[in-house]
Amino acid sequence: MMRKSQEEQVQNFLNGINLMDSEKAQPLIDIREIILETYPEAKEKIMYGGIVFSLNNELFSGIFLNKNHITIEFSNGYLMKDPNGHLEGKGKYRRHLKVMKREDVLSKEIAYFVKQAV
């Protein structure tokens, strides 16, 4: 079940994904739910073509829909523990996970990384 967003733009984005790409909709909704359960006070908004999440006006994560996958970005991913080598990216700060299917939400340990995001 999809948690309704307080932000109209975010809700429209979520509704649109359900209509356009139902295969990617569920993993995206699962990831969003993990973030909002972990950080209930997080604010969400549409930015950079996806949903970004912030606490105290500081971005910490984002979910982006790509042609073949969903990407969950972590602003300070370079600080994260990654014993199983799931994180991708070589930038100065940001790291990301690619999610191809719903099972990846568990197999790539997304909840583990979300807990480290702030």
Side-chain angles (χ1 to χ4, degrees):
M1 175 117 180
M2 181 172 57
R3 181 187 309 214
K4 187 165 171 42
S5 178
Q6 301 297 312
E7 296 293 321
E8 185 178 347
Q9 281 187 313
V10 172
Q11 191 59 48
N12 290 341
F13 181 85
L14 293 167
N15 293 341
I17 290 169
N18 262 328
L19 295 173
M20 286 179 2
D21 195 338
S22 59
E23 238 178 86
K24 288 191 191 109
Q26 197 54 59
L28 187 141
I29 289 164
D30 292 347
I31 295 165
R32 177 177 171 263
E33 192 61 32
I34 290 168
I35 293 170
L36 295 175
E37 282 178 6
T38 306
Y39 304 106
E41 64 282 11
K43 304 284 185 231
E44 61 182 346
K45 66 180 176 178
I46 298 297
M47 196 175 199
Y48 310 120
I51 304 171
V52 296
F53 300 88
S54 63
L55 283 170
N56 303 318
N57 293 320
E58 193 168 322
L59 296 181
F60 67 89
S61 188
I63 310 170
F64 303 93
L65 194 60
N66 298 287
K67 185 177 181 182
N68 298 316
H69 62 275
I70 297 160
T71 303
I72 177 168
E73 303 264 347
F74 300 104
S75 299
N76 290 312
Y78 75 105
L79 295 171
M80 293 181 165
K81 291 176 178 69
D82 184 16
N84 296 315
H86 294 305
L87 288 173
E88 298 181 42
K90 304 224 184 296
K92 191 170 182 177
Y93 300 109
R94 231 178 262 168
R95 298 291 181 274
H96 65 273
L97 297 164
K98 287 182 183 170
V99 175
M100 308 291 191
K101 56 191 180 301
R102 192 171 191 189
E103 294 79 32
D104 290 346
V105 175
L106 287 176
S107 68
K108 294 207 174 177
E109 304 171 294
I110 288 176
Y112 172 76
F113 292 106
V114 167
K115 288 175 185 157
Q116 297 182 66
V118 173

